Amino acid sequence: MRVGPPLIPLAATILCGCSSWQSALDPHSAEAGHLADLFWFFTAVCAAIWILVTASLLHLGLRRRRDGDIPREDSPEERRRKMLIVGALVALTAVILAIFSFASFYATRGFAWANQTALTIKVKGNQWWWPIQYESRDVTQIFDTANEIHIPVKRPVTFDLEASDVIHSLWIPDLMGKQDLIPGRNNTLTVEADRAGLYRAQCAEYCGLQHAHMALYVFAEPEKQFEAWRGHQLAPARPPASGKAWQGYRVFLAACAGCHTVRGTDAGGQLGPDLTHFGSRAAIAAGELHNTQDNLSNWLADPQSIKPGNYMPRVPLSDGDRAAVVAYLQGLK
Amino acid sequence: MKTHTVGSVADLPTTGFDSAALTWWGTLAFMSLEGSGFILAAGAYLYLMAVNPPWPYHSPLPNYWPGTIVALLLLASLPLNHLTAKWARARDLAKVQFGLVGMSLFGIAPLIVRWFEFPALNIRWDANAYGSAVWFLLGLHATHLVTDVGDTLVLAALMFTRHANNGRRFGDVTDNAFYWDFVVLTWLPIYALIYWVPRIA
Amino acid sequence: MSAAAEPLRDSALDDAALQSRLAQIWGTAPGFWGWLTTVDHKLIGRRYIITALCFLVLGGLAALVMRLQLGRPDNTLIGPDLYDQLFTMHGATMMFLFAVPVLETIPVYLVPLMIGTRNVAFPRLNAFSYWVYLFGGVMLWVAFFFNSGPDAGWFTYVPLASQEYDVGNRSSIWAQMITYTELSGLAVAVEIIVTVFKMRAPGMTLDRIPLFVWAALVTAFMVLFAMPAVMVCSTMLMLDPLLGFRFFDWKNGGDVLLWQHLFWFFGHPEVYFIFIPATGIVSAIIPAFAQRKMFGYPAIVLALIATGFLSFGLWVHHMFVTGLPRLGESFFTASSMAVSVPAGVQIFCWIATLWGGALRWRTPLLFVLGFIVNFVIGGLTGVMVASVPIDTQVHDTYFVVAHLHYVLIGGGVFPLLAGIYYWFPKLYGRMLDETLGRWNFWLAMLGFNLAFFPMHILGLMGMPRRVYTYQAEMGWGGLNLLSTIGAFIFFASFVVLLANMVRSLRRGETAPDNPWNAGTLEWATSSPPPPQNFSRIPVVTDVEPLWDNPQSLPTVDGLRADRRELIVSTLVDAEPSVRESSPLPSIWPFAAAMVTSLTLFGSVFTARAIEWGAIPIAIVFIGWFWPKGAREEES
């Protein structure tokens, strides 16, 4: 039922070149690169320590056994020798930890960002999807979307993080470490992708039943492509292009508009995601399904069996009406 | 395992007072853990105050009179409290009986005033987080007050029975006095926190 | 004073007569009544350990179901609602009902034996604490079987746990379970502290206290100062649905991070409630199996105390991605890393003791070495997550799941298993089988590492915690399957342990008093120990008294032989100062626990329960304290 379209494996192989496409160790930004470097540095030192400890225990097993009466305590010389070794090891531990602390501090210090970034995007966490709003001083430049963010490459972008129900956490491992979205508090996260690509993000703070299905796609695009996308998103929804889509539009207004907004129409509901350019999105239900005709139809037929507990009710539609709504929504490019 | 005797404890006393008694240490341990509870509750209050200026959060100031009277009554009880402990150490039953009756009265009086102290906070617990914090602090202390007064009453009754004239009972009296000191002393910072910190801040 | 005739003293009796007389005086009545009323620390300690192991099995089964669900992508074996209850139950059970109680109460059994006394300081409080713990645990699991298991995680973050998002009192059940375990945990901590401070055998000066007892003492102090934090916050959480308190209501002046601060102020030290006693077990076993005194005794004691202190300064490292000020976070990075210094001191001292010892390769030693190998991994990944930048990537991912299991299983369960093999003969008078022991060890080692090592990689591959499923395209399926297989192997190792215990109880080799030729006092008395522990109270001359006096143990006499009596000694020098009586068995602790538990249970649903419960509670506690005219109640 939830088999990915070619888009995903393709993106994974081409863009990441590794088996997972949501990886902390496959950085696509300078910051994630620093984090990965720091991680590998820690790992190398820690692995060396572990090998030394284990080797010293192995030595106990492999050496010639000492039998018979051995004294209950070390001789004074042996004691002194051991004290020296243990003391040196403790000192070494302290030095390593000091280096680690310093390296950590140094790595985060690099993240002091200029106040002025190219773009500010408000990312909200709802149970269990992501309302997105592109902010601007110019109110005509503000628009809403959901579960999908486009950013220009090589430009720092600020995410304003907010939540109004429970705590969520935005994590785009390929680009940056995570940051919580906390009700009553404002956090920010700044990212700058150094290569074009599709990056998957996922909610990292347990937020209830569908925590597992709360993903977000981040498309990093060349400046021109991004601007084209933004211009398109600012526009109201295009009118239905076929008779079937017109039928779908009417059904949508009657059955769906209470929760969903489609700009340029009478649909102005605020509870669910803004669907103005739904047809242009890659996924349905916060990354759970790829945006195909069949998936959309299944989703509309019974959202509760696909994503149990989510707030989209099962709206009874005839097969024809459902197909019409699918046609309409897919036409909202 | 085989044993051999190297000494005798036959001549040791069978009751110890204060730090020679297990119960004294037990009381001290309970005071420590309850004390950390008080500190954390006070910490929560200060934390909410720090994230929510101005303070009190959209609310009137509390009326400090009932709390002040409780503080004065509690302080006034201290001399008798210490005398009672002293008499108990001297195993003077008649004076201990007198002391415990007096301490019972000294316990009940602030409890009555405490009843009027809650409405004098001028806010309900469910109005906002500030209301919750002051009710929580006051309730926490009230619980300790009630418990120790109850303990004092039971002990006072016990000292008029055949079980009274016994080293162990006198030990209980000193421990009870020790705990009362704790109840009195914890009230002073909480009192300052509830009534005076919002006036200064 | 009132007694006309001089009471009977132990000095008037020969060994055999004294032994049987004291056994009768200190004994527990047979049958169900005796079972309900006993105040013997050994019976209660054993009961605690067995109950905690039962909860271990329940928590383990919950984990197996989760592992089955995660074994392949898009699995529909169980839905999110059950999964969320299961992982919450797993965490809450393992932390609050298994690991902390078992490691806090093994000392209830052992400390009096190790310090040469006859019971804990407050035996009735001890009995009370057990019943409260039992009722709390049973309440949690009964609620789960009625589909009301808590489902907001063992950390129960608000607002997810607050009234608005909490279905059917589930989080109130969690909060109330905390209250029960709080009560019992704090009561045990008070007992242990006073017992170790004031009841040590004559001559057991501070530098002769067994390291295990030091560890128990440090843990008890940590419990004393950390547990009130969770008591405060779980009460605040309860008061939300109960009376409409608004501590965490961010729309009305509350703050959701207040919960996290309070919870982790307790929650971080809690890890050390598990780890510190576990190191105490290790420090007890290593000298016995190397047959030589611990190298660096004072350093280890200082390390224990330092760990205790430092563990209170680490809680913010659980909150590195909540957006706290950077400078503060850096401080917590440094303090979190600093806590590895005392851990290092202990590990280096253990290895230094083992080097040059005549090692005896029996199961307890194997588990100790397994502990070092596994725990070091957990400790080192702990250093990694203490680094703010690294933590922003791995926080709330399977990397942390791997880390915490390496710390808690590697650092807690492996020593516990070592301790079970080590002290089982003392508790039951039977040896555990060595062959099965080796199977147990190697299966545990293999299963544990197979189950948890892949999780490090999964976390780095982007798998968040607490997800009930994941999509095939994520590429996490293979490692998850491996982990599931490992979990089953690990579980099998516990089945072997259980089989070994049952077999041993039925037809195990009889254990001598001191099967390992160890040096501490618990091995001076019979296996299992008589009700009075020691018929004559030993005089301690060394940190390993049995090695110092291999032929005959010096003792003191002069205690009464016609009532329960023990020695209270001075804090530092352990000079005997008082002969104090010790309480008789009593039904009141059970009654008090019953009434308290019912009241607390009622208050999950209505605040009125507190009012209704107040009077019976007052009655049982008066009943408890009111003298009954026994010899033990006089001075």
Side-chain angles (χ1 to χ4, degrees):
Chain A
M1 178 168 72
R2 265 161 269 176
V3 184
L7 168 74
I8 299 313
L10 196 72
T13 20
I14 295 173
L15 301 172
C16 316
C18 78
S19 59
S20 169
W21 69 303
Q22 181 173 296
S23 170
L25 298 181
D26 181 30
H28 285 73
S29 72
E31 294 66 44
H34 290 320
L35 296 181
D37 292 346
L38 192 67
F39 173 83
W40 285 117
F41 169 63
F42 270 57
T43 306
V45 176
C46 291
I49 295 171
W50 182 79
I51 289 169
L52 285 177
V53 171
T54 309
S56 73
L57 295 180
L58 278 179
H59 168 84
L60 292 172
L62 297 178
R63 69 170 181 195
R64 216 155 47 82
R65 308 258 162 122
R66 291 177 65 171
D67 295 317
D69 277 344
I70 59 153
R72 292 277 190 213
E73 278 178 282
D74 297 325
S75 64
E77 310 89 76
E78 210 177 337
R79 225 176 130 71
R80 245 195 315 279
R81 201 167 54 90
K82 280 188 182 175
M83 240 141 90
L84 216 64
I85 297 173
V86 169
L89 287 172
V90 173
L92 186 65
T93 311
V95 170
I96 291 173
L97 294 172
I99 293 172
F100 277 0
S101 298
F102 182 76
S104 303
F105 184 69
Y106 186 76
T108 38
R109 218 188 41 154
F111 299 164
W113 288 94
N115 289 332
Q116 219 51 40
T117 52
L119 191 61
T120 302
I121 302 169
K122 183 186 282 181
V123 179
K124 283 187 70 176
N126 276 4
Q127 281 182 324
W128 295 277
W129 61 284
W130 306 88
I132 311 289
Q133 185 173 64
Y134 280 69
E135 292 177 341
S136 174
R137 289 222 188 94
D138 176 0
V139 288
T140 62
Q141 295 295 305
I142 297 174
F143 65 90
D144 287 306
T145 176
N147 300 330
E148 193 172 304
I149 297 176
H150 290 242
I151 55 170
V153 288
K154 299 203 171 76
R155 301 266 306 272
V157 176
T158 301
F159 296 137
D160 274 343
L161 307 176
E162 281 179 17
S164 54
D165 46 27
V166 301
I167 304 174
H168 304 274
S169 192
L170 176 66
W171 185 34
I172 320 164
D174 299 73
L175 297 182
M176 188 64 169
K178 61 183 73 62
Q179 187 70 246
D180 285 353
L181 291 73
I182 300 175
R185 292 191 169 236
N186 293 308
N187 282 335
T188 59
L189 190 65
T190 306
V191 300
E192 182 182 335
D194 60 9
R195 264 172 291 170
L198 161 55
Y199 308 112
R200 191 176 187 272
Q202 190 164 357
C203 176
E205 177 65 58
Y206 173 59
C207 56
L209 285 177
Q210 284 301 332
H211 169 55
H213 293 127
M214 188 166 163
L216 173 70
Y217 288 170
V218 178
F219 289 86
E221 298 161 333
E223 186 80 29
K224 258 194 189 146
Q225 199 180 334
F226 168 74
E227 288 301 343
W229 176 84
R230 172 151 75 173
H232 180 67
Q233 293 289 317
L234 278 164
R238 57 172 68 175
S242 67
K244 194 174 173 191
W246 270 108
Q247 183 198 345
Y249 171 55
R250 283 190 294 274
V251 176
F252 183 87
L253 283 185
C256 315
C259 295
H260 294 281
T261 293
V262 174
R263 275 178 278 130
T265 74
D266 288 343
Q270 296 292 323
L271 294 174
D274 181 301
L275 299 177
T276 308
H277 296 284
F278 174 78
S280 70
R281 291 189 203 146
I284 311 171
E288 190 177 1
L289 303 170
H290 297 292
N291 195 356
T292 65
Q293 225 167 3
D294 285 350
N295 280 343
L296 184 57
S297 178
N298 288 337
W299 171 252
L300 292 178
D302 190 2
Q304 288 302 322
S305 75
I306 291 171
K307 193 167 173 177
N310 89 85
Y311 290 114
M312 174 152 163
R314 187 163 170 265
V315 181
L317 295 177
S318 70
D319 286 353
D321 282 352
R322 191 163 68 242
V325 173
V326 169
Y328 169 63
L329 288 174
Q330 296 239 303
L332 294 174
K333 295 288 183 191
Chain B
M1 190 169 180
K2 284 203 333 201
T3 60
H4 60 281
T5 306
V6 296
S8 171
V9 295
D11 297 333
L12 293 182
T14 53
T15 311
F17 284 106
D18 303 327
S19 69
L22 297 182
T23 44
W24 186 87
W25 286 94
T27 311
L28 186 63
F30 274 104
M31 292 187 323
S32 313
L33 75 92
E34 285 155 25
S36 12
F38 279 125
I39 289 170
L40 288 158
Y45 176 97
L46 291 171
Y47 177 91
L48 290 170
M49 180 170 135
V51 296
N52 279 312
W55 196 253
Y57 182 83
H58 305 308
S59 314
L61 286 165
N63 176 349
Y64 54 77
W65 277 111
T68 310
I69 295 169
V70 169
L72 293 175
L73 282 169
L74 290 177
L75 286 174
S77 72
L78 285 181
L80 181 63
N81 190 39
H82 283 253
L83 278 175
T84 312
K86 196 179 134 197
W87 294 329
R89 276 184 213 106
R91 303 182 183 234
D92 187 334
L93 183 57
K95 283 188 180 161
V96 167
Q97 286 170 340
F98 168 78
L100 281 175
V101 172
M103 285 312 296
S104 300
L105 297 175
F106 263 124
I108 292 167
L111 261 186
I112 294 169
V113 185
R114 173 70 38 102
W115 186 260
F116 296 98
E117 200 178 344
F118 283 100
L121 292 172
N122 290 329
I123 185 162
R124 273 171 61 94
W125 63 88
D126 56 358
N128 57 40
Y130 160 75
S132 300
V134 285
W135 274 77
F136 192 76
L137 277 170
L138 197 60
L140 198 60
H141 190 265
T143 317
H144 286 74
L145 195 57
V146 170
T147 318
D148 201 26
V149 171
D151 196 32
T152 309
L153 289 170
V154 173
L155 205 52
L158 195 54
M159 292 315 272
F160 287 93
T161 69
R162 68 191 166 89
H163 303 292
N165 210 349
N166 178 320
R168 211 153 233 258
R169 289 297 90 64
F170 289 118
D172 292 344
V173 175
T174 55
D175 293 335
N176 185 53
F178 185 36
Y179 193 78
W180 182 254
D181 282 347
F182 171 73
V183 173
V184 175
L185 292 180
T186 46
W187 175 238
L188 301 178
I190 293 174
Y191 165 71
L193 195 59
I194 294 178
Y195 298 104
W196 299 104
V197 166
R199 288 186 156 81
I200 297 163
Chain C
M1 259 154 271
S2 55
E6 179 65 15
L8 182 67
R9 298 292 173 112
D10 56 6
S11 41
L13 298 169
D14 67 26
D15 284 354
L18 180 65
Q19 176 96 21
S20 66
R21 195 177 172 83
L22 287 180
Q24 198 189 355
I25 287 175
W26 285 85
T28 293
F32 183 64
W33 187 252
W35 188 77
L36 278 185
T37 57
T38 186
V39 293
D40 186 334
H41 75 97
K42 295 181 291 299
L43 296 179
I44 293 167
R46 214 166 72 185
R47 206 174 270 178
Y48 254 122
I49 295 165
I50 292 170
T51 312
L53 291 177
C54 291
F55 284 122
L56 168 70
V57 172
L58 286 172
L61 288 171
L64 285 188
V65 178
M66 290 192 287
R67 277 318 323 167
L68 278 177
Q69 164 70 13
L70 292 177
R72 60 194 182 93
D74 290 318
N75 201 355
T76 50
L77 178 72
I78 55 174
D81 185 54
L82 182 57
Y83 188 89
D84 293 350
Q85 290 185 60
L86 279 173
F87 83 69
T88 305
M89 290 296 288
H90 171 72
T93 301
M94 290 307 200
M95 293 304 276
F96 292 109
L97 300 177
F98 159 63
V100 171
V102 80
L103 287 159
E104 209 196 339
T105 57
I106 289 177
V108 167
Y109 189 100
L110 287 174
V111 160
L113 290 163
M114 287 182 140
I115 64 171
T117 186
R118 288 172 172 168
N119 207 341
V120 290
F122 307 111
R124 290 182 178 179
L125 186 64
N126 194 24
F128 172 76
S129 77
Y130 171 75
W131 296 117
V132 171
Y133 156 69
L134 176 69
F135 296 151
V138 168
M139 181 201 72
L140 183 71
W141 276 89
V142 168
F144 172 72
F145 286 114
F146 281 95
N147 197 28
S148 281
D151 59 358
W154 83 279
F155 45 86
T156 311
Y157 276 6
V158 291
L160 193 60
S162 58
Q163 198 180 8
E164 206 178 338
Y165 300 96
D166 180 28
V167 189
N169 288 318
R170 285 175 172 184
S171 292
S172 298
I173 298 264
W174 177 92
Q176 204 56 291
M177 182 274 296
I178 296 295
T179 316
Y180 288 80
T181 48
E182 282 302 304
L183 269 178
S184 67
L186 286 166
V188 170
V190 170
E191 279 154 43
I192 295 289
I193 290 172
V194 180
T195 307
V196 176
F197 270 16
K198 296 299 289 179
M199 294 168 72
R200 304 197 306 277
M204 188 178 276
T205 48
L206 293 182
D207 57 345
R208 292 176 190 161
I209 298 179
L211 287 168
F212 176 83
V213 177
W214 268 114
L217 181 68
V218 170
T219 310
F221 267 105
M222 290 170 61
V223 169
L224 205 61
F225 292 111
M227 271 210 183
V230 73
M231 187 158 66
V232 165
C233 68
S234 69
T235 308
M236 288 173 172
L237 184 66
M238 282 289 298
L239 289 171
D240 164 19
L242 214 54
L243 293 169
F245 273 68
R246 299 195 179 277
F247 285 104
F248 311 117
D249 178 356
W250 56 278
K251 291 170 191 142
N252 283 292
D255 186 81
V256 298
L257 288 188
L258 172 62
W259 171 268
Q260 298 189 17
H261 281 293
L262 285 170
F263 185 79
W264 291 116
F265 185 78
F266 149 81
H268 199 80
E270 190 188 23
V271 174
Y272 293 87
F273 301 170
I274 296 165
F275 176 61
I276 291 182
T279 66
I281 295 175
V282 172
S283 293
I285 291 175
I286 284 181
F289 285 80
Q291 284 293 301
R292 52 178 18 204
K293 289 187 183 173
M294 184 65 85
F295 171 82
Y297 173 97
I300 291 184
V301 173
L302 290 177
L304 288 172
I305 295 172
T307 309
F309 270 105
L310 285 172
S311 71
F312 282 89
L314 313 179
W315 82 93
V316 169
H317 77 212
H318 295 267
M319 302 168 65
F320 279 161
V321 297
T322 57
L324 296 176
R326 275 274 174 259
L327 192 65
E329 290 187 342
S330 298
F331 167 80
F332 282 96
T333 291
S335 68
S336 305
M337 292 198 177
V339 79
S340 359
V341 173
V345 168
Q346 291 207 68
I347 291 173
F348 299 141
C349 286
W350 291 327
I351 296 179
T353 310
L354 291 168
W355 278 54
L359 300 192
R360 293 182 300 170
W361 294 89
R362 307 287 296 271
T363 312
L365 184 63
L366 289 181
F367 274 109
V368 163
L369 299 182
F371 148 74
I372 296 178
V373 170
N374 293 330
F375 171 72
V376 168
I377 295 179
L380 292 169
T381 52
V383 168
M384 296 169 89
V385 300
S387 159
V388 176
I390 293 179
D391 190 60
T392 61
Q393 282 288 20
V394 298
H395 180 80
D396 269 331
T397 70
Y398 263 81
F399 188 90
V400 172
V401 179
H403 156 69
L404 74 92
H405 284 92
Y406 270 87
V407 169
L408 295 173
I409 297 179
V413 176
F414 272 74
L416 172 70
L417 292 170
I420 289 177
Y421 277 89
Y422 182 61
W423 280 301
F424 188 89
K426 181 52 67 184
L427 266 75
Y428 292 100
R430 303 284 185 122
M431 304 298 289
L432 284 169
D433 183 70
E434 192 59 25
T435 312
L436 284 174
R438 277 161 200 269
W439 272 99
N440 184 354
F441 170 73
W442 287 109
L443 280 177
M445 212 48 194
L446 173 72
F448 167 69
N449 281 291
L450 203 56
F452 294 103
F453 198 83
M455 292 183 184
H456 291 111
I457 304 163
L458 280 171
L460 295 167
M461 285 169 71
M463 183 166 169
R465 296 174 76 174
R466 299 155 190 147
V467 291
Y468 75 98
T469 189
Y470 53 89
Q471 285 137 289
E473 68 192 43
M474 301 311 297
W476 302 331
L479 288 173
N480 268 303
L481 182 61
L482 202 61
S483 171
T484 301
I485 295 169
F488 276 85
I489 298 175
F490 190 45
F491 192 81
S493 75
F494 287 90
V495 176
V496 173
L497 172 68
L498 187 70
N500 198 353
M501 286 179 172
V502 172
R503 187 193 156 281
S504 172
L505 287 175
R506 285 187 165 179
R507 51 192 169 88
E509 183 194 335
T510 310
D513 291 359
N514 190 358
W516 315 111
N517 191 23
T520 41
L521 282 179
E522 80 270 29
W523 303 105
T525 185
S526 61
S527 303
Q532 71 275 27
N533 293 353
F534 302 93
S535 295
R536 299 190 194 278
I537 302 296
V539 173
V540 175
T541 52
D542 189 88
V543 68
E544 304 280 0
L546 306 197
W547 290 350
D548 201 38
N549 308 278
Q551 308 306 329
S552 168
L553 200 61
T555 56
V556 289
D557 65 6
L559 288 166
R560 276 168 67 168
D562 63 344
R563 70 164 189 170
R564 297 186 174 201
E565 203 165 83
L566 39 74
I567 295 175
V568 173
S569 50
T570 56
L571 176 60
V572 177
D573 300 323
E575 295 272 359
S577 61
V578 177
R579 283 185 293 122
E580 191 157 300
S581 60
S582 181
L584 290 172
S586 162
I587 190 63
W588 289 106
F590 176 77
M594 200 69 172
V595 174
T596 313
S597 299
L598 284 174
T599 307
L600 290 175
F601 182 65
S603 68
V604 170
F605 305 100
T606 165
R608 294 254 164 236
I610 306 283
E611 293 167 31
W612 297 329
I615 291 173
I617 287 180
I619 291 171
V620 287
F621 278 97
I622 292 169
W624 180 338
F625 290 112
W626 199 269
K628 319 288 182 307
R631 278 182 196 147
E632 278 76 6
E633 289 163 349
E634 295 155 9
S635 58

